[in-house]
Structure formats: C-alpha cells, structure tokens
C-alpha cells in the first residue's frame, strides 16, 4: 500500500485514533485516499553527475537514476514553482534549466561577480521577485552570492565571509529562512541571515559529511545526504539528525545538492478486452562521422595523419576532470580520481578515458601508440586544511588514480587535482584543475 502525506492529513493524523495510522518520528502517514496536495519527490545530484530521484514516503527509500546531466560538474538544484521548472547550477557558476525526465540542461546565465567554484543553490519564493542564493569558495574570501530569481537573474549582492564555509543551501518555503551546512570546524546545521550573512549554528553536530539539504514544501521536514551515502532527517531547531537509510557503496548517492520537486503519479492502465496492434516504427539511422565512426564515437587524428575512432566523451586539456571522491579511514584519506590514458596527436594534448573493452580496438591501438612514445599520465593532487588559519596544504604526484595521504591531522579539508602528461622527464601538458571535494578527518585520539 502507498501512503501520502499532506498538510491536511498531517494535522488530522495527529488527532486520529484509526488503526491504520502509521507514525515515524514526527511524521504520520495515512493511506492514499486523497491527492489534495502535490506529491513531492526528492531529487539530487550524484558524484557521477547524474540526476537521481527518491520517494520520501517509500518505506525502502530506494533511489531511481533518472539520467546523466548534459552539462558537467553540476553542484546546485532547485525548483521554481512559479514557472514550473527545475534550476541547476554548475561549479563554474553557469545557471541552467533542467529537464526532469532527461536531465538535459538549457543555459540561462553565468554568474561573474565572484570567483568559483560554487556550491549549493537556494531559491526563495517567499519574496517578490524571488531570489537565488549560492556559495562561492574561490581565490577571494568565501562569498554568499544573492541574485534575482528569474530572468535576467541580476546579481544583487555579494557577502564576504571570514573563514566560514557553507555546503548545501536550501530555503524553507514556509517562512523563507535560509539554511546551510556550516563546515568550518564541526559540521552543523545553521540559519543564514540573508542580509548580513551571519550564521546561527544549531547546537548539535551532524554525522558524516552532509553536503546536500532540502525542505519538504508541505511537511517542513529537512532532509540531507552525505558523501558516504547516508540519507538523514534533521531537526531544524536543534540540528539533531536521524538516519533514514545508508545506501550501499555501489549505489549512486546524491552528494552535491537536493531539491523537492513535484511529480505526476503514474496512472494504473485500464485493461482492454481487445488487444490493439502497435504500429511499427522505423528508427532514424544514426549519423556517422566523416571518417565512418559510429554515432557514439568521434574522429581522432594521430601523429602521421592516421584517424581512429575514440569515445564521444574525449577530454582535452581545456576540460575539467571530475571531482575527486574522498574515502576517510581514521587519519588516512584515499582520493579516487577519474582514470585517464594519454594520447597526443603532435599538435595538441588529448586526454582520453582509459579503454575498458577487451580486444584490440582502434582506440586501444591509439593508447598503445602513445605508450610507445613514452607518454605517461601523472596525477597532481592537493589537499588543503580549511580549519587551519594558514590553510596548510599537502601535495602528491602519482601514476595511479588512487592517491592516499596518511597521518592527516583532524580538520575540514578540500581536495582537487589535475592530470599531467609527461614524456621522458618533461611535462608536455596538463588539464585544468578538478572541482574541489570536501571531507572531514575526525580526532581519533582518546
């Protein structure tokens, strides 16, 4: 049986004595007997840059993968009820509208008044016109950016912080309070003054590494997800969290940002006595490249003029690698990085994801050619202690895409990396730096 929770049924269930009443903490669920309010599902961004969906009333709280975003490095997600559209933000400050079914993005605006990378997105519909909030942690002081919430998205104000860090942002649709995850020393839920940027921290610390939060529009309950794959519910007054589900490590977990978005219930099909004939649809042929590569491949010109077929997601030195994935065990931190092989055409640097298919494909031949020319990959990795006044940093160079830092002091950290190409002992090119990933090392002594 499915259950729905509405504002009317919430107050009714608190007074009800029906045997069918189900209660969990402060949430009461009644059998599905009315659809007076929209049904909201929780949507989130995974570390693989995919859109996922969670039904908060599903007892199993299973995730459904929607699709991969058509834009890279998405970090913010919100819903504009006035225009019935999803708004997304990437780490470079580009704002998009997002298709709820395909995760395709349409460019709307780029923020320029402060430096990125950006984290989180809050959309305030309790004021007119609505306003957008996002947090930027760039080369200047960490900054809260305030902008008009609809076209042309004028950048209204920037508020500089002194040593403060914010992760997930969300607006309470009942009252308009701005909430964020303060990550300076111990992770806590905080309300953010929308004029001065002052933080009011809640008294209790949060478990794990909470990076995305959202508030249900009807119930007012605050949900969060952590980088280690845990879904929690957090009391907005005390900051006390309740674990709802710990997802297996092999599942995509929403770690960047969350938003509640209305969904349309799937109608039950009406059985028909007479079967209908389904017309045959001939698919449109997939176009090939000028050199005959399949539609999921691109032409890659090698030194000497030979052309091979490479994956369509070929990366160049102008492309930003995926953010690292921190794994913390005690005072050791392992960063899992996107894996690359090096291929050079003699005039520009191309970085291609390592081949995973078996057998000698043209792509693998290209990788083998690069290795014969002794072109190798190096990962240039840096972690920075943001809890330290001096922002102590440690750097490592590695041939492998898993890099471990040992004896890491307790504190809050950011991590990022870039990919270098080395021929002999000479660096011949490098990619841009990845977005920063955040993690916490706890004091294990005593």
């Amino acid at each position: 049986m499915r259950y729905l929770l509405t504002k009317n049924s919430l107050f009714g269930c608190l007074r009800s004595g029906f045997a069918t009443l189900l209660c969990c903490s402060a949430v009461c669920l009644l059998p599905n007997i009315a659809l007076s309010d929209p049904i909201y599902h929780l949507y989130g961004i995974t570390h693989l840059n995919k859109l996922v969906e969670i039904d908060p009333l599903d007892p199993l709280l299973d995730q459904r993968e929607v699709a991969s975003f058509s834009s890279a490095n998405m970090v913010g997600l919100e819903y504009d009820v006035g225009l019935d559209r999803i708004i997304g933000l990437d780490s470079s400050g580009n704002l998009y509208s997002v298709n709820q079914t395909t995760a395709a993005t349409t460019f709307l605006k780029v923020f320029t008044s402060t430096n990125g990378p950006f984290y989180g997105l809050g959309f305030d519909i309790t004021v007119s016109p609505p306003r957008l909030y996002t947090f930027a942690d760039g080369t200047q002081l960490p900054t809260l950016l305030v902008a008009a919430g609809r076209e042309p998205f004028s950048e209204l104000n920037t508020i500089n912080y002194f040593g403060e860090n914010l992760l997930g942002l969300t607006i309470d649709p009942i009252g308009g309070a701005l909430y964020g995850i303060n990550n300076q020393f111990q992770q806590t839920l905080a309300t953010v003054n929308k004029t001065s940027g002052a933080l009011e921290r809640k008294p209790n610390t949060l478990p794990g590494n909470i990076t995305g939060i959202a508030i249900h529009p009807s119930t007012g309950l605050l949900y969060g997800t952590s980088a280690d794959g845990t879904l929690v519910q957090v009391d907005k007054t005390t900051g006390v969290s309740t674990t709802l589900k710990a997802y297996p490590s092999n599942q995509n977990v929403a770690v960047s940002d969350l938003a509640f978005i209305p969904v349309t219930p799937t109608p039950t099909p009406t059985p028909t006595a007479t079967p209908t004939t389904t017309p045959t649809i001939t698919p449109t042929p997939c176009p090939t490249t000028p050199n005959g590569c399949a539609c999921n491949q691109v032409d890659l010109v090698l030194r000497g003029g030979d052309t091979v077929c490479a994956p369509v997601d070929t990366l160049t030195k102008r492309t930003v690698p995926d953010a690292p994935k921190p794994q913390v065990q005690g005072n050791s931190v392992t960063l899992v990085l996107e894996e690359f092989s090096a291929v050079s055409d003699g005039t520009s640097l191309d970085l291609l994801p390592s081949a995973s298919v078996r057998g000698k494909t043209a792509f693998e031949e290209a990788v083998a050619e690069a290795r014969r020319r002794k072109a190798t990959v190096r990962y240039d990795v840096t972690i920075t202690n943001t809890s330290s006044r001096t922002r102590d940093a440690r750097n490592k160079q590695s041939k492998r895409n898993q890099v471990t830092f040992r004896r890491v002091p307790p504190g809050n950290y950011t991590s990022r990396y870039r990919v270098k190409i080395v021929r002999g002992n000479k660096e011949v090119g490098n990619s841009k730096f990845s977005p920063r990933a955040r993690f916490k090392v706890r004091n294990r002594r005593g």
Side-chain angles (χ1 to χ4, degrees):
M1 177 182 293
R2 292 180 60 83
Y3 293 84
L4 291 177
L5 180 62
T6 70
K7 286 182 287 187
N8 296 330
S9 66
L10 174 62
F11 296 112
C13 76
L14 294 175
R15 299 191 299 266
S16 174
F18 294 142
T20 55
L21 181 66
L22 300 179
C23 290
C24 176
S25 298
V27 184
C28 297
L29 306 182
L30 290 177
N32 181 0
I33 48 181
L35 292 174
S36 56
D37 283 348
I39 301 174
Y40 288 91
H41 284 186
L42 196 60
Y43 283 74
I45 304 169
T46 75
H47 66 274
L48 297 178
N49 205 48
K50 294 183 178 182
L51 182 67
V52 293
E53 175 187 4
I54 304 172
D55 180 356
L57 300 184
D58 179 359
L60 299 179
L61 292 173
D62 286 336
Q63 294 189 95
R64 182 183 72 85
E65 183 178 301
V66 178
S68 296
F69 288 99
S70 59
S71 297
N73 303 318
M74 299 295 290
V75 295
L77 202 65
E78 271 292 0
Y79 175 67
D80 181 354
V81 64
L83 297 183
D84 187 26
R85 69 177 178 184
I86 303 172
I87 301 172
L89 180 75
D90 68 19
S91 61
S92 299
N94 296 298
L95 197 67
Y96 305 91
S97 64
V98 181
N99 185 289
Q100 188 170 354
T101 304
T102 66
T105 57
T106 303
F107 177 80
L108 298 174
K109 160 83 175 181
V110 59
F111 293 128
T112 58
S113 60
T114 187
N115 294 330
F118 292 79
Y119 300 96
L121 192 62
F123 186 72
D124 189 0
I125 60 171
T126 65
V127 295
S128 181
R131 291 191 173 185
L132 282 169
Y133 296 84
T134 183
F135 180 73
D137 183 14
T139 56
Q140 301 173 352
L141 290 173
T143 301
L144 182 70
L145 172 64
V146 186
R150 295 199 178 107
E151 287 80 351
F153 300 102
S154 303
E155 297 173 49
L156 307 176
N157 191 18
T158 56
I159 304 168
N160 289 333
Y161 285 80
F162 295 89
E164 299 285 357
N165 284 312
L166 292 174
L167 293 179
L169 291 175
T170 193
I171 295 284
D172 192 339
I174 307 171
L178 175 61
Y179 287 84
I181 300 297
N182 179 249
N183 197 44
Q184 185 59 21
F185 297 106
Q186 289 185 320
Q187 208 176 54
T188 58
L189 180 68
T191 53
V192 185
N193 186 297
K194 292 185 286 188
T195 302
S196 68
L199 301 183
E200 179 185 340
R201 300 171 187 81
K202 304 307 175 183
N204 293 280
T205 58
L206 296 171
N209 188 12
I210 305 297
T211 51
I213 54 175
I215 297 175
H216 195 289
S218 298
T219 67
L221 298 174
L222 189 149
Y223 294 78
T225 50
S226 69
D228 63 0
T230 303
L231 178 68
V232 299
Q233 183 178 308
V234 183
D235 188 289
K236 293 186 294 186
T237 302
T238 65
V240 173
S241 63
T242 303
T243 298
L244 302 179
K245 181 160 184 174
Y247 291 98
S249 59
N250 63 342
Q251 285 193 11
N252 293 330
V253 59
V255 296
S256 296
D257 204 13
L258 295 172
F260 273 104
I261 299 170
V263 297
T264 303
T266 303
T268 302
T270 303
T272 56
T274 304
T276 57
T277 302
T278 303
T280 301
I281 300 176
T282 303
T284 303
C286 181
T288 59
T289 67
N291 289 286
C293 294
C295 59
N296 62 343
Q297 296 178 324
V298 295
D299 298 327
L300 178 66
V301 180
L302 301 176
R303 177 180 295 178
D306 293 334
T307 301
V308 298
C309 299
V312 73
D313 57 351
T314 298
L315 302 176
T316 72
K317 60 183 177 183
R318 295 176 299 277
T319 304
V320 179
D322 290 345
K325 303 175 184 62
Q327 298 176 355
V328 181
Q329 291 187 341
N331 291 97
S332 294
V333 180
T334 297
L335 300 175
V336 181
L337 317 174
E338 185 176 3
E339 187 178 2
F340 293 99
S341 292
V343 174
S344 174
D345 62 8
T347 58
S348 64
L349 174 69
D350 288 301
L351 305 178
L352 291 93
S354 293
S356 59
V357 297
R358 295 181 178 180
K360 279 287 184 180
T361 65
F363 174 52
E364 288 176 305
E365 292 285 1
V367 174
E369 179 181 337
R371 288 172 178 162
R372 286 193 294 270
R373 297 199 305 269
K374 299 180 180 179
T376 58
V377 167
R378 295 288 187 274
Y379 297 92
D380 179 18
V381 188
T382 301
I383 64 173
T384 303
N385 187 344
T386 59
S387 301
S388 167
R389 289 182 179 272
T390 58
R391 299 178 74 89
D392 298 331
R394 293 171 60 179
N395 179 269
K396 277 192 175 184
Q397 307 280 329
S398 175
K399 295 180 181 179
R400 301 176 64 245
N401 69 316
Q402 290 194 21
V403 182
T404 300
F405 291 83
R406 305 187 188 280
R407 298 179 181 176
V408 180
N412 296 309
Y413 288 81
T414 61
S415 60
R416 65 176 186 170
Y417 70 100
R418 62 181 176 176
V419 184
K420 294 182 176 181
I421 299 301
V422 177
R423 185 170 293 117
N425 293 322
K426 182 180 178 181
E427 179 183 330
V428 296
N430 57 264
S431 71
K432 290 187 176 182
F433 277 103
S434 71
R436 289 180 175 88
R438 298 172 183 263
F439 63 90
K440 176 183 288 187
V441 176
R442 299 183 182 274
N443 193 338
R444 300 292 180 180
R445 292 179 296 180

